[in-house]
Structures are given as C-alpha cells and as structure tokens.
Amino acid sequence: MDDMLRVFERDTAGLVDVRGTVIRSMGLNPTENEVLEIVEAVEEPSSTGFVSSEKLKSVVVAMLLTHEFKGRLVARDSESRILKAFEVLDREGKGYLPAEYLKELLTTMGERFSGEEITEMVNAAADPETGNVYYEEFASILATE
C-alpha cells in the first residue's frame, strides 16, 4: 500500500492527493459524497486537498478489510452483479444498451454523473459503428479497472 500511496504523493513530505483516484485505485468505489467524507475524516484543519499518507492509510486499510466506510459499502461490485444490473435495464434481452439510453439513465437516476464522465464512459464502452454498449464485456471492465 505504501508504494501505491507514493504514486499519489505531492512531494516527499508524505502528503497524498485524495480526490478519489487513490481510493478507487485500491479497488474501492466510494461515491463523490463519500470521498468528501473520507477527506474530511483525515485532512488537517487547513485544507489543501492533500492529506497525510499515514492518516489516509489507516482509513483505507479499514475500508479494505470491511469494505465499508461509516457503515456503507464502498467495495467494487462484482462482475456478475454489474452484469445483472445491465440485464435489468435490457428489457428485451439483446445483450446491449443503446448509448443514448445509457446516457439518459446516468443523468437522471441514482448518483448523477457529470457530462465529462458520461462522455468518457460512453466513448470507452460504445461500439463506434452501432452506438451500442455491449454490456457483458463492459461489466468485466467496470469490475476490474
């Protein structure tokens, strides 16, 4: 874990940028609100966006062991669980979702994604010829990356 945190250190002072990337790179999947709560739990009184790697490590280790933060699940979903979610959305059982439909869902339901996040995801997931997201392969990517 120390090696992973060093990648995100600002300098040799042991301060880590905690805007979510470091936490997600360890296989955890907190919401943006949870990231803010994690930062709040470990940052110094004079907020800089960077926190002590030792303080962050204690919180992350606890999350890795329990898969929870303040009683809420923060671990990545399994590939099978992600696949089942896509299958629920694919009412006709075609094995894909039109990218436009997925964009609509991501902007209107649950934790809403930014336009930039949606564009990035759809560009990575949608077949360039059909504009469809073939979700079986995409579920595997979401579960592991």
Side-chain angles (χ1 to χ4, degrees):
M1 179 178 301
D2 289 330
D3 291 337
M4 177 75 72
L5 291 174
R6 269 189 224 103
V7 170
F8 294 94
E9 282 185 358
R10 179 177 68 176
D11 52 29
T12 57
L15 297 177
V16 179
D17 182 348
V18 290
R19 288 175 282 198
T21 305
V22 66
I23 296 166
R24 291 187 181 103
S25 72
M26 294 184 194
L28 298 168
N29 195 27
T31 65
E32 287 303 313
N33 285 338
E34 289 168 333
V35 169
L36 293 173
E37 287 181 44
I38 293 165
V39 170
E40 211 173 85
V42 296
E43 77 180 339
E44 299 298 324
S46 59
S47 176
T48 62
F50 292 85
V51 300
S52 158
S53 60
E54 289 303 313
K55 283 185 176 181
L56 179 62
K57 187 164 58 171
S58 67
V59 172
V60 171
V61 165
M63 288 190 301
L64 288 169
L65 291 173
T66 64
H67 300 284
E68 292 182 351
F69 179 72
K70 293 188 175 181
R72 295 184 305 265
L73 189 65
V74 292
R76 275 208 180 129
D77 288 325
S78 68
E79 181 178 342
S80 64
R81 185 175 173 132
I82 295 169
L83 188 57
K84 285 178 186 172
F86 277 118
E87 288 169 346
V88 167
L89 298 172
D90 179 14
R91 294 184 183 134
E92 297 174 18
K94 294 179 180 179
Y96 66 84
L97 296 172
E100 291 304 314
Y101 175 60
L102 192 56
K103 285 180 187 179
E104 178 186 330
L105 293 174
L106 294 171
T107 57
T108 60
M109 300 181 76
E111 183 176 353
R112 289 165 180 80
F113 291 83
S114 71
E116 183 179 314
E117 289 170 319
I118 293 169
T119 299
E120 183 179 327
M121 185 185 76
V122 170
N123 286 344
D127 180 292
E129 292 179 23
T130 64
N132 294 323
V133 175
Y134 294 90
Y135 53 77
E136 189 169 331
E137 181 180 335
F138 191 51
S140 174
I141 292 168
L142 289 173
T144 59
E145 292 185 13

